[in-house]
Amino acid sequence: MKRPLYLFIAAMAAVPLLPTPEYWITLANYVGLYALVALGLVLLTGVGGLTSFGQAAFVGLGAYTSAYLSTRYGLSPWFGLLAGVVITAAAALLIGMITMPLSGHYLPLGTIAWGLSLFFLFGNLDFLGRYDGINSIPEIPVFGYAIASGREMYGLIWLLVLLAVFAVQNLLNSRPGRAIRALKGRGVMAEAMGVDTTWMKIAIFVLAALLACLSGWLYAHMQRTVNPTPFGLNTGIEYLFMAVVGGAGHVWGALLGSTLLTLLKDQLQTVLPKLLGSNGNYEIVVFGVLMVLLLQRARDGVWAFVRKRFPAAPPAVAPDDAPVLVRRARHKAGTTVLEVDLARKMFGGLVAVNDMQFEVKAGEIVGLIGPNGAGKSTMFNLVTGLLPLTSGEIRFRVGNEMRRINGQSSRQIVRHGIARTFQHVKLIPDMSVLENVALGAHLRGLHGEIGGLAAAMVRGNRSEEQVLLFEARRQLERVGLGHLMYEEAGNLALGQQRILEIARALCCDPTLLLLDEPAAGLRYQEKQALAELLAKLRAEGMSVLIVEHDMDFVMNLVDRLVVMEFGTRISTGRPQEVRSDPAVLQAYLGGVD
């Protein structure tokens, strides 16, 4: 993939040096401006799964801020850029805090609402010239030289585009980038790994807005005039089309989509009036039909076809050696690690968990068994904070004291040392096995959330990445998946995906590991290997709470069993004791004679 990339950069650098017609230079400038906005939408919509129709309004904020300050007060366009960034960031932060928690169709409707609001605000403020806008905007000075011509603007626009591309690419191939990629439909898993998903959604919303602001700043000083027309809802929809057509999940898809749609619109506006006459906007109809056909044939965007032709090396490669992350101190064998005290969970009038009581000690494996619908997974979700308790308490040993953890969120609980897998596997299928596992080490990074984003974009996190990827490699080799670390996770068999989840949970450095049906889908030899791994973890002082339906696997592995039926504990004890309990035989193991 590097050779086509270098050829692309060389070709773009040669364009203004060749006798290229000015019209094509102008088109290339618009492609670059559109690509900046589409790049933000790749980050926000394609990767983060958050649909926005209002990005054109942020373009307007950047354009109007610099235009107003440079014409009204004679300030430098560079100061206008700084002011635009500050105003756009503040507006995006406020809007993001309101709209990003929305889900389903409410989120895109919310972005339409604020997009329209800003558009009409531009057109109704007297000091912004209302719908006539602002004229006589000065050129951008660079080292005392004013950039006036289209060829000169071309160099500045595409320099900033390439810098933005590499910054976003660096971000996505990093610890916070893995958290961003986990947002799309996998928020529960991301929270369980310690990711603050609400903050991360707001962060990428602000980043996308800032890229749009940069585009608006360039647009204002290239056109030398601004009015509200280019910042309306229709333009916002076109920006989203560019990201989707190019490949909403791919950074370089933003450039490809911007190029294709800009050239297509230009050709339709030239050709169709000659064929059908100038009465009517036929290009809009044809453009819409072509977009539908394209999306039917290439739902992942055109860039997906390019990737197949030029396969890329894995974006994340684990080093052969790196400093080992500091491990959490293990509890003394036999001390109580987890206490579930009269835990009750009600959904309306349905009692899903009925005054459950049990404990898990350091260095033991406890099995939680029962018929389907007994409430086992609900009990797991109560321990890990995915569900709130109706009554009762759950306490976990942090250091030398037992602390109440019910009422805390998943990301707070995992900080204490509780990690889990899921009954239905939750992973990022188009990301490598290595990166999926590295997501488990999210809380063990060296940078904070804001510092992590900034460091990632300028590759200031290279040492952190080496340490986290090496940890992920260690855990994969530990569970027997080291030979598959660069395979896409979605290509693994179900049993291998379950083992991947265990490796990801181990990356959290837990003292209590919760496994929800880990042996489901495994072959006999794989189950034997899993049992050996869990026995090794127990010997190291790890506590394990496991839900499993394979009785042979459970009986030969666990130290104690807790049996549930209809949300209630009906038996507890060693496997041989539970096996002969009449209540268990009646409820779970086939009944009594």
Side-chain angles (χ1 to χ4, degrees):
M1 196 67 204
K2 289 184 178 180
R3 183 177 295 177
L5 172 60
Y6 295 150
L7 290 175
F8 171 79
I9 295 174
M12 296 305 296
V15 167
L17 304 177
L18 300 173
T20 311
E22 288 298 322
Y23 179 72
W24 288 103
I25 293 290
T26 301
L27 275 182
N29 286 343
Y30 278 108
V31 169
L33 296 178
Y34 299 153
L36 284 171
V37 188
L39 186 60
L41 284 169
V42 165
L43 184 65
L44 181 66
T45 303
V47 179
L50 305 169
T51 304
S52 174
F53 291 100
Q55 297 306 106
F58 289 131
V59 179
L61 275 179
Y64 268 104
T65 300
S66 190
Y68 178 74
L69 293 176
S70 60
T71 56
R72 179 67 181 270
Y73 298 104
L75 298 174
S76 168
W78 293 103
F79 183 85
L81 173 61
L82 178 61
V85 165
V86 172
I87 292 173
T88 302
L93 182 61
L94 178 61
I95 294 170
M97 291 173 65
I98 297 172
T99 57
M100 288 302 102
L102 299 176
S103 60
H105 58 276
Y106 296 106
L107 175 58
L109 286 176
T111 64
I112 291 173
W114 59 256
L116 288 173
S117 298
L118 288 176
F119 170 73
F120 285 111
L121 189 67
F122 297 145
N124 285 279
L125 292 176
D126 289 329
F127 72 93
L128 295 181
R130 300 175 69 87
Y131 285 98
D132 293 328
I134 300 174
N135 301 310
S136 302
I137 302 171
E139 302 96 342
I140 298 173
V142 177
F143 300 115
Y145 178 79
I147 298 179
S149 70
R151 288 179 184 270
E152 292 167 343
M153 281 298 299
Y154 173 93
L156 178 60
I157 288 171
W158 279 96
L159 173 62
L160 293 176
V161 168
L162 289 175
L163 289 175
V165 165
F166 286 116
V168 173
Q169 190 75 69
N170 290 339
L171 172 60
L172 292 177
N173 296 330
S174 68
R175 179 180 69 97
R178 288 187 287 272
I180 293 169
R181 285 187 275 177
L183 295 176
K184 194 174 182 179
R186 308 173 192 92
V188 170
M189 180 271 287
E191 286 276 335
M193 297 300 111
V195 178
D196 187 340
T197 55
T198 300
W199 185 92
M200 196 62 74
K201 288 176 183 179
I202 294 173
I204 61 174
F205 184 73
V206 172
L207 285 175
L210 292 179
L211 287 170
C213 168
L214 178 61
S215 177
W217 176 74
L218 291 166
Y219 172 83
H221 294 282
M222 182 182 77
Q223 288 290 97
R224 310 284 302 281
T225 182
V226 294
N227 63 69
T229 304
F231 313 127
L233 181 61
N234 289 343
T235 309
I237 295 173
E238 286 185 13
Y239 287 137
L240 190 58
F241 264 134
M242 291 175 186
V244 171
V245 168
H250 309 285
V251 170
W252 290 96
L255 274 68
L256 184 57
S258 302
T259 303
L260 290 176
L261 264 71
T262 303
L263 295 179
L264 179 61
K265 284 185 63 179
D266 175 71
Q267 292 302 305
L268 289 176
Q269 290 172 352
T270 302
V271 173
L272 289 179
K274 296 178 181 179
L275 298 176
L276 303 174
S278 57
N279 295 326
N281 295 326
Y282 296 110
E283 67 273 9
I284 295 177
V285 177
V286 176
F287 179 79
V289 172
L290 290 176
M291 288 302 98
V292 171
L293 292 175
L294 179 61
L295 294 175
Q296 283 183 333
R297 298 289 182 179
R299 295 189 176 186
D300 294 328
V302 180
W303 187 254
F305 294 104
V306 178
R307 284 190 69 194
K308 290 179 182 178
R309 189 172 181 83
F310 302 103
V317 177
D320 294 328
D321 191 26
V324 178
L325 288 170
V326 177
R327 291 182 59 195
R328 199 187 311 267
R330 296 296 182 257
H331 301 297
K332 185 179 179 181
T335 59
T336 300
V337 172
L338 177 72
E339 288 180 343
V340 177
D341 186 11
L342 298 175
R344 176 182 285 254
K345 178 60 182 175
M346 299 181 66
F347 296 98
L350 174 66
V351 180
V353 174
N354 184 22
D355 295 341
M356 277 291 294
Q357 282 187 295
F358 65 91
E359 63 181 16
V360 179
K361 296 184 181 298
E364 75 169 352
I365 302 177
V366 176
L368 187 61
I369 67 172
N372 289 330
K376 304 180 297 297
S377 293
T378 301
M379 189 67 249
F380 260 43
N381 291 336
L382 293 174
V383 173
T384 55
L386 290 182
L387 291 173
L389 274 176
T390 302
S391 63
E393 280 194 8
I394 298 175
R395 294 179 290 273
F396 181 70
R397 183 171 297 279
V398 181
N400 294 321
E401 62 175 321
M402 297 296 291
R403 295 184 186 176
R404 178 176 174 174
I405 60 171
N406 54 287
Q408 297 185 15
S409 66
S410 295
R411 65 177 180 275
Q412 291 172 318
I413 289 175
V414 71
R415 288 180 182 273
H416 298 319
I418 300 178
R420 68 165 299 174
T421 64
F422 294 88
Q423 182 180 9
H424 304 290
V425 173
K426 297 182 186 296
L427 46 77
I428 307 172
D430 58 350
M431 202 160 72
S432 73
V433 170
L434 178 73
E435 291 181 285
N436 269 276
V437 173
L439 182 62
H442 180 78
L443 291 175
R444 304 172 75 184
L446 305 176
H447 298 88
E449 296 291 2
I450 296 177
L453 288 170
M457 287 189 283
V458 297
R459 296 198 67 187
N461 64 336
R462 280 175 289 183
S463 60
E464 174 188 75
E465 274 296 284
Q466 293 294 293
V467 171
L468 296 182
L469 292 175
F470 182 66
E471 175 68 13
R473 176 176 182 166
R474 287 180 61 243
Q475 299 302 343
L476 281 169
E477 292 172 347
R478 189 179 189 183
V479 301
L481 292 181
H483 62 293
L484 296 173
M485 70 174 72
Y486 300 121
E487 186 72 43
E488 283 193 0
N491 294 339
L492 268 58
L494 176 60
Q496 293 172 324
Q497 291 179 354
R498 292 193 179 280
I499 301 299
L500 183 157
E501 281 206 319
I502 295 175
R504 185 179 64 198
L506 291 174
C507 261
C508 298
D509 188 29
T511 55
L512 173 62
L513 186 62
L514 276 63
L515 305 179
D516 201 346
E517 300 189 24
L522 299 186
R523 295 185 293 269
Y524 176 76
Q525 291 179 337
E526 293 172 329
K527 291 179 183 179
Q528 293 296 106
L530 175 59
E532 291 175 6
L533 171 64
L534 296 180
K536 181 180 178 181
L537 293 175
R538 173 174 53 193
E540 295 174 0
M542 178 84 72
S543 305
V544 181
L545 179 61
I546 180 171
V547 167
E548 186 53 65
H549 287 292
D550 188 327
M551 286 298 99
D552 289 335
F553 178 79
V554 170
M555 293 293 182
N556 295 321
L557 174 67
V558 303
D559 300 294
R560 290 188 299 112
L561 283 170
V562 177
V563 187
M564 295 180 67
E565 183 183 24
F566 299 119
T568 302
R569 190 190 77 181
I570 61 172
S571 182
T572 184
R574 297 188 177 279
Q576 57 270 26
E577 298 169 348
V578 170
R579 189 191 298 269
S580 59
D581 190 323
V584 176
L585 292 172
Q586 180 66 37
Y588 192 72
L589 297 178
V592 293
D593 294 332

